[in-house]
Amino acid sequence: MSDPTTQNTICLEEATIISQQSFPGDQYILRVHAPRSAARAIPGSFAHLACGPAIPMRRPLSIMRAHQRKGWLEFLYKPVGAGLEHLKKQTTGETLSLLGPIGNGFTPDPRRPNILAIGGGVGIPPMIFLAESLQNDNRFEVLVMMGSEVPFPFELSKAGISVSRVPPTASYGVTLLEEWGTPSRVASKAGYEGCFQGFVTELARIWLSKLSAQELQKVQLLGCGPTDMLKATTVLAKNFDLPCQLALEEYMACGVGGCAGCTVLLHTPQGPTMKRVCVDGPVFDAYQIY
Amino acid sequence: MSSRLALKFCGLQLSSPIVLLSGCVGFGEEYTRVEGFSNQDVGAIVLKGTTSQPRLGNPPHRLWETPSGMLNAIGLQNPGIDKVVTEILPSLNFSETCFIANVCGSTVDEYAEVTRRFDDSPIDAMEINISCPNVKEGGVAFGNYPDMSARVVEACRDVTDKPLITKLSPNQTDIAANARACIEAGSDALAVINTIMGMAIDVETQRPIIGNVQGGLSGPAIRPIALLKVHQVYEVAGPQGIPILGQGGIETAADAIEFLLAGATTIGLGTALFYDPLAAKKINSGIEEYLGRHGFSSVADLTGQLNLSDMQNTPASG
């Protein structure tokens, strides 16, 4: 339907690769110059990238960081499938067709100032973006919890910003987030130093269970990660009676709402409905998904 | 846009031979999200397939990329004819391009009912989708059999005077025979072709990748097949003055010109939009350049100009 508020919101630009770094666990952080998309990106939004001429279908990647002034976007991905396998071979100076930014981002509720942002694996990027964008927003205090079963592709260091009632084994945080003044804690079953030994949602449960009823009324959950993590996050939300928004992934073709290929079944008060992850999401109310 | 690209197609005056295809562009305005895209760059837009009642469509996954193409099994997700006619059509800007409805159904009566509702609406024309491979009832269950196809077309013809375009299935033995049946039943134009049935399997889980098990294959992989089908249908439709909307893997102006030479009057873009949302502008320019270089005054003059002289074997129908 014709909606002036959505027209011309997505840019098609030739993005030049600034850097592509590989990390243990077959992880890559890609930074591209895409100034028009960078100017509009919001936490939770994504870009639809053409990975190379041999792989014409685009691949959606969550935006991890966007620098408006310098005009770059940053992504974290694991090369799952032919498209991203091709993408990882692209080097500095090469260009990629980029469609973005796409999608509705997280909309934290100002009535609940304490955000617990839970990210798992390649679902971590939106939480980094959220932390960076809210670092100077006095309405919110963000605590980021991240889980990964491969080494985190970020520098970790002993957490300087204290968070009460977090298990002492979760002693490390992400250095970059610390620099932004955002506390973070990491979890893994792989036994990495400073990490909580278990799933990130277990770490979150322990922390939430130690909050008073009054404190819980100030908390909201935001999540992005593998399906099992999203389900576990929703269980936490229901158990502790917290609002919860989740960013979803699905195979995508057009990325602009035209093909209905990326839909998710939502349970709304009006009954079941199929919504497009690309432009109706990718962020949805967890209570409508699970 | 150049007047050389303007043409008539089953009674519609189009500004370009490019038609954006059903199932790829939602209900007509989705691509206006993209900077630089304009519905004015295309001659017509075919809206998402519409049934009498709302449909949720198929479960995920609905898509999978394949070599030079993709599988899809959306399953005709749509809000139903009431909402399309009362809420969506009034929001479309009919001054920018022509809008064509895509009529679907599980029964002949449902096709007729949806057609009747669109007849009483501002829609410019209707495409009868008797070839959707992704629903359990209707779709190719009608489109693969000439007599069944004709029954659907007749039922729709009875309730509208608006142009009717019948979308033919490639998943049948003799597409020319089906084309003939649909023309006799009252179709004003033919869309050739819908997607080709296919599937993909995840060998690790040993399960189908597509939630519907099977899907429709589109994209450049099917282009040679589609081109031949257009050529075969043109042998039947051309002499009767029934125009063809040629479609199947068209990405470039050169691809489009191939279809026009084979007998198409208009050409459809679908999967190509997923690669390049601004493809229509480039194809318009490319066709125009070709017309100038070859001395054609109008794109309509290209239709059926395939030169078969001195050819020993013309392709057999079927």
Side-chain angles (χ1 to χ4, degrees), chain B:
Chain B
M1 210 174 323
S2 161
S3 60
R4 282 196 295 196
L5 293 182
L7 76 164
K8 281 210 160 184
F9 177 68
C10 61
L12 304 179
Q13 182 63 48
L14 308 188
S15 60
S16 157
I18 298 176
V19 176
L20 302 186
L21 298 176
S22 182
C24 301
V25 289
F27 280 97
E29 298 279 356
E30 304 297 349
Y31 269 81
T32 61
R33 288 187 171 89
V34 181
E35 273 187 355
F37 178 92
S38 172
N39 282 346
Q40 295 180 39
D41 291 331
V42 299
I45 294 177
V46 190
L47 306 182
K48 177 76 183 150
T50 302
T51 48
S52 63
Q53 299 301 315
R55 285 178 63 104
L56 288 175
N58 289 328
H61 301 301
R62 291 175 164 189
L63 304 169
W64 185 247
E65 186 172 24
T66 58
S68 295
M70 60 173 280
L71 289 167
N72 89 82
I74 310 300
L76 297 178
Q77 178 184 338
N78 79 93
I81 184 69
D82 274 341
K83 187 163 181 178
V84 172
V85 168
T86 60
E87 295 181 30
I88 295 176
L89 295 189
S91 74
L92 297 177
N93 186 346
F94 282 77
S95 70
E96 291 190 334
T97 190
C98 293
F99 288 102
I100 300 171
N102 182 278
V103 174
C104 303
S106 300
T107 63
V108 174
D109 288 346
E110 185 179 2
Y111 278 99
E113 169 63 9
V114 175
T115 301
R116 190 186 62 73
R117 294 294 306 279
F118 276 124
D119 181 67
D120 187 25
S121 84
I123 206 78
D124 292 304
M126 282 164 264
E127 178 177 77
I128 309 172
N129 186 354
I130 51 168
S131 47
C132 177
N134 299 323
V135 290
K136 300 217 163 21
E137 296 174 314
V140 290
F142 292 116
N144 282 350
Y145 305 99
D147 54 339
M148 285 301 297
S149 302
R151 276 184 58 198
V152 175
V153 174
E154 276 172 2
C156 297
R157 180 77 288 164
D158 283 347
V159 293
T160 187
D161 291 326
K162 290 190 176 187
L164 284 179
I165 306 156
T166 307
K167 191 167 188 174
L168 300 182
S169 166
N171 304 297
Q172 56 184 321
T173 310
D174 187 353
I175 195 169
N178 201 318
R180 196 175 293 113
C182 291
I183 293 168
E184 287 170 2
S187 190
D188 299 301
L190 300 168
V192 183
I193 57 175
N194 207 324
T195 55
I196 298 173
M197 289 181 188
M199 76 181 291
I201 296 171
D202 182 334
V203 295
E204 295 305 318
T205 63
Q206 301 172 351
R207 290 178 60 78
I209 290 171
I210 297 290
N212 187 51
V213 181
Q214 68 178 51
L217 180 66
S218 64
I222 72 167
R223 191 162 60 231
I225 300 169
L227 190 64
L228 175 58
K229 299 291 182 191
V230 167
H231 175 67
Q232 292 168 341
V233 170
Y234 183 66
E235 289 180 341
V236 172
Q240 300 195 51
I242 298 295
I244 295 169
L245 165 53
Q247 54 190 270
I250 295 171
E251 289 181 279
T252 66
D255 302 338
I257 291 162
E258 273 194 279
F259 278 76
L260 297 171
L261 295 173
T265 298
T266 51
I267 58 97
L269 291 188
T271 305
L273 292 172
F274 306 158
Y275 304 166
D276 180 1
L278 305 183
K281 277 185 200 298
K282 296 165 193 167
I283 294 173
N284 278 332
S285 299
I287 294 174
E288 206 176 337
E289 184 275 330
Y290 179 89
L291 293 176
R293 190 155 47 84
H294 286 269
F296 289 101
S297 59
S298 166
V299 68
D301 296 337
L302 284 182
T303 297
Q305 287 301 309
L306 174 66
N307 183 353
L308 289 170
S309 61
D310 302 328
M311 301 295 285
Q312 292 298 308
N313 296 302
T314 54
S317 294

